[in-house]
Amino acid sequence: GNSVTQMEGPVTLSEEAFLTINCTYTATGYPSLFWYVQYPGEGLQLLLKATKADDKGSNKGFEATYRKETTSFHLEKGSVQVSDSAVYFCALIQGGSEKLVFGKGTKLTVNP
Amino acid sequence: DTEVTQTPKHLVMGMTNKKSLKCEQHMGHRAMYWYKQKAKKPPELMFVYSYEKLSINESVPSRFSPECPNSSLLNLHLHALQPEDSALYLCASSQGQFSGNTIYFGEGSWLTVV
């Protein structure tokens, strides 16, 4: 079956540090890949997505590239801010499916 | 800003109460979803409505009863819940499984069962 594995953290960084959160997936065919962010006490927000191999999703300074050869979709940001403190979920959805498959989530804390 | 709106944001109910969670989307989407999220866990799918018809029920107990009055509205009726049902309930919507399925979530309803 389909699955998503992401580093569980927690991850603690200082402001302006470089961020990488690893995400790898197992899926048949060519799924769409997503990063969602959940700020404390809130719902999930779509951060970025990629729908085919070599696509790069980007938003708010975050980037992730769909790597079919390594089945990965790692999230990166060059300089994190305190306001980026949140839980980040990697997820996939198979074409023709209605079911999102989530990773377990990674809690990021950014200190001033 | 999310275009999936949920009410109420917070709900406290007793185990004998009947209450409802409401969700509305303004994106013209044809699929709507209910998810349940416990602390420090990813969301778990409960129900999917596609074109106003229930297409997926993930073996959810009958004390949770979904309703889709039209393509923009989704309700979750709650009756005789247990304390372990306390969680964040997330509504979501998408264009549908055959239309580049990106799922957008609302802010959630925090439910406490006492």
Side-chain angles (χ1 to χ4, degrees), chain B residues 5 7 12 22-23 27 44 63 68 80 83 92 109 111:
Chain B
T5 56
T7 56
V12 179
K22 298 185 183 298
C23 175
M27 295 180 279
E44 298 176 357
R63 58 185 183 268
C68 188
S109 292
L111 174 66

Side-chain angles (χ1 to χ4, degrees), chain A residues 32 34 36 38 40-46 49 51 89 93-100 102-105, chain B residues 9 33 35 37 40-43 45 48 50 55-56 58 88 90 97-98 101-107 110:
Chain A
S32 294
F34 306 89
Y36 287 90
Q38 188 170 33
E42 298 187 9
L44 267 69
Q45 295 181 24
L46 177 66
K49 69 176 184 179
T51 57
F89 292 98
I93 195 163
Q94 198 69 46
S97 172
E98 294 170 316
K99 292 190 179 184
L100 263 177
F102 284 98
K104 292 187 176 181
Chain B
K9 189 162 178 67
Y33 310 74
Y35 283 80
Q37 187 181 23
K40 300 185 180 181
K41 298 287 188 183
L45 182 63
V48 180
S50 181
S55 59
I56 295 177
E58 293 286 277
L88 176 66
L90 294 161
Q97 64 189 110
F98 300 114
N101 209 6
T102 299
I103 296 177
Y104 298 90
F105 289 84
E107 289 292 318
W110 292 89

Side-chain angles (χ1 to χ4, degrees), chain A residues 26-58:
Chain A
T26 302
T28 55
Y30 304 98
S32 294
L33 302 174
F34 306 89
W35 279 100
Y36 287 90
V37 58
Q38 188 170 33
Y39 298 103
E42 298 187 9
L44 267 69
Q45 295 181 24
L46 177 66
L47 182 59
L48 52 84
K49 69 176 184 179
T51 57
K52 61 183 186 297
D54 300 324
D55 267 2
K56 178 185 282 188
S58 61

